[in-house]
Amino acid sequence: IAGITQAPTSQILAAGRRMTLRCTQDMRHNAMYWYRQDLGLGLRLIHYSNTAGTTGKGEVPDGYSVSRANTDDFPLTLASAVPSQTSVYFCASSDGGGASDTQYFGPGTRLTVL
Amino acid sequence: GESVGLHLPTLSVQEGDNSIINCAYSNSASDYFIWYKQESGKGPQFIIDIRSNMDKRQGQRVTVLLNKTVKHLSLQIAATQPGDSAVYFCAENRKGSTLGRLYFGRGTQLTVWP
């Protein structure tokens, strides 16, 4: 069982480019999440999905979009990347979307926007 | 504002000693807490959790203590090993918040020296 996989591992991107970060889980978890991690700011929620077909905005959603066409995949898209989106991005999933469900994290994607 | 925080940003211990990592929270509505370990270049890894109806929970070499009176959470690692070197985050899942929303502290860097 792989758990959660993310791709790419790292990416350098020119400002203004479109980029999709991929996330796949094989645990059949209902809920999935995208976080960004910045030095000194910790992990911040970008978007989440409680179940396939639904998505919601987190703490820092601007400049990002997500889709949840099926249970396993939860891609994150930067429509037009800006340098402030340089960060490490983590995808996570949990069995339910409840307030007491443990979230399990992927290995992360390191994104640099120049 | 309310936040999950940590008393110390760094902690250095000798191999074989016990480690104690602290976390303070200010939201009395929080009812579920999680400790994560993050090694360099990897995603956060679940260690142990505790619900607000408990004061203590033990795992393998780890114990989490919850003091709701002073809104304090601690992670105790017994017989600390070099492989325990990592950043440790506490997270809370506040009752009534966005479903599945985790609020993370900024982390404590644990360094184990021989």
Side-chain angles (χ1 to χ4, degrees):
Chain A
I1 295 178
I4 299 178
T5 57
Q6 293 184 237
T9 301
S10 64
Q11 182 75 45
I12 298 175
L13 190 67
R17 291 281 190 158
R18 181 185 179 89
M19 175 73 190
T20 296
L21 308 184
R22 300 185 297 278
C23 174
T24 300
Q25 54 104 356
D26 63 4
M27 299 176 283
R28 307 303 294 172
H29 282 173
N30 287 313
M32 297 186 74
Y33 314 85
W34 274 106
Y35 292 87
R36 59 178 289 173
Q37 186 176 40
D38 302 292
L39 193 64
L41 295 176
L43 286 155
R44 294 182 292 168
L45 183 66
I46 304 171
H47 285 288
Y48 66 94
S49 168
N50 286 331
T51 188
T54 69
T55 62
K57 294 181 179 180
E59 183 182 358
V60 287
D62 294 343
Y64 306 95
S65 63
V66 292
S67 61
R68 187 86 184 277
N70 58 61
T71 298
D72 299 342
D73 301 300
F74 191 42
L76 176 74
T77 297
L78 290 67
S80 179
V82 296
S84 62
Q85 292 178 310
T86 294
S87 187
V88 181
Y89 291 85
F90 289 102
C91 179
S93 71
S94 64
D95 191 22
S100 299
D101 288 317
T102 302
Q103 294 183 21
Y104 298 91
F105 286 78
T109 293
R110 182 175 296 275
L111 181 67
T112 302
V113 182
L114 302 176
Chain B
E2 294 176 305
S3 64
V4 177
L6 291 162
H7 292 311
L8 296 172
T10 62
L11 177 65
S12 295
V13 300
Q14 188 170 19
E15 182 178 359
D17 286 353
N18 296 333
S19 302
I20 300 176
I21 301 171
N22 297 305
C23 182
Y25 66 96
S26 57
N27 190 329
S28 59
S30 298
D31 64 353
Y32 181 58
F33 304 88
I34 310 171
W35 279 101
Y36 285 93
K37 172 187 179 183
Q38 186 174 24
E39 296 175 273
S40 181
K42 297 184 179 180
Q45 176 188 0
F46 171 83
I47 302 174
I48 193 168
D49 58 2
I50 189 167
R51 300 186 190 279
S52 58
N53 60 351
M54 303 171 68
D55 297 323
K56 179 180 179 179
R57 192 168 187 213
Q58 289 184 290
Q60 186 177 10
R61 282 201 307 119
V62 296
T63 300
V64 55
L65 299 177
L66 177 61
N67 186 329
K68 294 180 286 293
T69 301
V70 295
K71 298 185 183 66
H72 183 268
L73 189 71
S74 68
L75 177 70
Q76 300 179 2
I77 304 173
T80 312
Q81 302 169 0
D84 295 326
S85 293
V87 176
Y88 290 81
F89 296 93
C90 64
E92 61 178 322
N93 207 331
R94 299 171 186 167
K95 184 181 283 186
S97 68
T98 301
L99 287 179
R101 173 85 183 267
L102 282 180
Y103 294 81
F104 288 85
R106 285 184 289 277
T108 291
Q109 173 71 57
L110 174 66
T111 301
V112 182
W113 45 280

